Amino acid sequence: QAISSLQPQGTNNDLWLGLQAWQWMFLAMVIPAVIYFVLALTVPESPRFLVAQGKEDQAKEVIGTIYEENIDTKVDSIKKSLEGEHKSSMADIKGSGFLGLMPIVWVGIILAIFQQFVGINAVFYYQNLIWAAVGFEESQAFATATIVSAVNVIFTFVAIAFIDRLGRKKLLLIGSAGMFLTLGTLMIIFMTAQKCTQALIDAGTDSACTAENQINNPLLSSGTGMVAVIMLCTYVAFFAATWGPILWVMLGEMFSNKIRAAAMSIGVMTNWIANFIVSESFPTLVSMSLGLAYGIFTVCAFLSFFYVLKFVKETKGVELENMEQLEGSDAK
């Protein structure tokens, strides 16, 4: 039987002022949007931009909010990196790698692909679909999705706390290992669960197996259903504390000044393409087998661990002006 302990407001029910719950969900986003706008006004320009504009005193003030010593030296380093700088273009990232791109650019591309191919946005976009597929009622699925989203927000602060203590590479490895274990558990649960069949629908012996549910959807008991919820929340926690924010830190740090604009644009574009592929293919995979979908995500998490271990270099403590030296080194 599906879990029945969670009974919040359904998304299609009227809530306040004649509006349905899902409409209030959108309206609620006005508050963080306004807060974001106000806080964005307090963000200073980057020291590199200020130096490029000839505003060295302002650049020193910004640097002084982060460093206490060698401020003049850092400004001089930025000035040297800007000397002879040309307008960035895609020609800057040409190299000896696959398809004529620099190897470091491919590292950014593959990291961007892995971040999506571990399935995070499929989980967020189709949370209610996933839980409805395993027998949760609408209100139960909505409550579970809300919990999962809250976990994502909370554990993002874990990344903020540890990214400069443990380093980017170590956190990515921890995230890959954690997502592999949790996704693998979900895969096993969904693959071994009893499936909704036409015979069960006709017999009416299982309230979670009805004509509204697609045939072959897994049916979870209260015990396995709770394990699935815990594993999904843990998976999201690992992602939010590691791969979620750290990819964007890496894309901003791993490229030298000369290629950053072009290389980062390629990485971001790749990430959105991978997002599109996963999001569009997921409903089809679910109709075939939810366990298959999670199996693919599990394999990607497994591969991401070894890719990071072999090809990703630590950028913690490396200043942007020195990133080109790191690219050409053998340091891990």
Side-chain angles (χ1 to χ4, degrees), residues 105-308:
V105 176
W106 276 110
V107 173
I109 289 173
I110 295 174
L111 285 177
I113 291 173
F114 272 131
Q115 194 215 38
Q116 292 297 326
F117 276 25
V118 295
I120 190 64
N121 278 325
V123 170
F124 283 132
Y125 294 161
Y126 300 106
Q127 289 182 79
N128 286 6
L129 182 151
I130 293 171
W131 298 118
V134 297
F136 284 57
E137 296 178 1
E138 178 192 359
S139 60
Q140 297 167 339
F142 179 63
T144 304
T146 303
I147 293 170
V148 170
S149 298
V151 169
N152 181 51
V153 173
I154 292 169
F155 277 85
T156 299
F157 289 98
V158 175
I160 296 173
F162 286 97
I163 190 168
D164 284 327
R165 297 182 184 180
L166 298 180
R168 290 79 164 126
K169 181 172 182 175
K170 186 174 291 186
L171 281 177
L172 288 176
L173 292 172
I174 292 172
S176 293
M179 289 188 296
F180 169 72
L181 294 174
T182 50
L183 286 169
T185 303
L186 287 166
M187 175 191 67
I188 294 171
I189 288 174
F190 294 144
M191 281 189 168
T192 57
Q194 181 185 11
K195 303 299 190 294
C196 181
T197 64
Q198 188 62 51
L200 285 175
I201 293 175
D202 295 339
T205 56
D206 195 316
S207 61
C209 186
T210 64
E212 287 73 23
N213 283 350
Q214 293 182 357
I215 293 176
N216 291 328
N217 280 345
L219 301 173
L220 302 186
S221 66
S222 58
T224 54
M226 186 56 66
V227 172
V229 171
I230 292 172
M231 285 296 101
L232 187 64
C233 288
T234 307
Y235 155 72
V236 171
F238 273 111
F239 179 88
T242 58
W243 277 82
I246 291 176
L247 169 73
W248 304 109
V249 174
M250 292 292 294
L251 289 180
E253 289 182 345
M254 66 191 296
F255 305 119
S256 63
N257 286 333
K258 180 180 179 181
I259 69 170
R260 180 172 299 109
M264 189 170 180
S265 66
I266 292 294
V268 173
M269 179 188 71
T270 302
N271 186 263
W272 278 105
I273 292 173
N275 181 1
F276 176 81
I277 292 171
V278 173
S279 302
E280 288 297 309
S281 62
F282 187 70
T284 301
L285 290 173
V286 170
S287 66
M288 297 168 58
S289 169
L290 190 57
L292 172 63
Y294 275 84
I296 294 174
F297 299 153
T298 301
V299 170
C300 289
F302 177 81
L303 294 176
S304 70
F305 179 91
F306 292 99
Y307 185 82
V308 171

Side-chain angles (χ1 to χ4, degrees), residues 313 325-332:
K313 298 175 182 178
Q325 299 175 16
L326 180 63
E327 292 173 14
S329 73
D330 293 326
K332 299 295 184 183

